[in-house]
Amino acid sequence: MVRRPVAWIVALVLFAEALGVLAVNWFLGVVVDRQDMSLAGLDPDVMSVSSKAGGVVFGLYFGLCGLVALLVALRDRAPAGFGKVLLISAAVVHALLGAFAWGLIGWTAFLLMVVVLALIVLLLMTYDGRPDEPQPVDAGAPVSPPAAPTAP
């Protein structure tokens, strides 16, 4: 089946993205701090700390999303509750990042965001309504009587 490999790929991609976002924002914070740059009169120390804190927050967010995907891959069960909401929010974030990336960076960054979005949506859709799960019994349906035993 496709479900487990997709979950493993999504987990790896989200962990890599978490590390990448953390590293880029930390690097930007260090650059702002060392060059003592200011933007519209803002304190450079505040800008540096804000960049590092944003990197940590978004790195942890993508890391948590990767952890949910990893648990889905290990258990081979659909994400439920908070995990499903987290993956849906990650899909929305990637859609928005893709839209911004098209205008600010270019089509290659847009394509990367769309691929990650597609992987997350594929993960969510492949575990939706699995045929091997037991279906609930309808209480209003007539129950057939047990078969009569046959004589030997």
Side-chain angles (χ1 to χ4, degrees):
M1 283 264 176
V2 167
R3 291 187 297 237
R4 288 186 95 166
V6 167
W8 281 106
I9 291 169
V10 169
L12 290 175
V13 166
L14 288 174
F15 284 138
E17 191 171 8
L19 288 175
V21 165
L22 178 66
V24 166
N25 280 309
W26 197 271
F27 175 73
L28 289 175
V30 169
V31 167
V32 168
D33 194 32
R34 288 194 181 159
Q35 293 194 0
D36 203 30
M37 298 183 330
S38 178
L39 180 67
L42 292 174
D43 184 24
D45 292 330
V46 172
M47 290 173 46
S48 173
V49 170
S50 298
S51 177
K52 291 176 183 177
V56 168
V57 167
F58 276 103
L60 288 174
Y61 168 71
F62 286 130
L64 189 59
C65 293
L67 181 64
V68 170
L70 180 66
L71 290 175
V72 167
L74 290 174
R75 295 177 181 167
D76 197 23
R77 285 192 322 215
F82 182 68
K84 190 171 191 173
V85 170
L86 204 60
L87 286 177
I88 291 170
S89 72
V92 170
V93 166
H94 281 89
L96 291 172
L97 286 175
F100 288 126
W102 179 275
L104 297 175
I105 301 170
W107 66 271
T108 54
F110 169 77
L111 187 63
L112 181 67
M113 290 295 116
V114 169
V115 166
V116 176
L117 169 65
L119 284 171
I120 294 172
V121 170
L122 184 62
L123 170 69
L124 290 167
M125 295 302 291
T126 55
Y127 279 97
D128 190 35
R130 290 177 47 184
D132 55 347
E133 289 180 356
Q135 299 297 322
V137 178
D138 187 12
V143 178
S144 61
T150 57

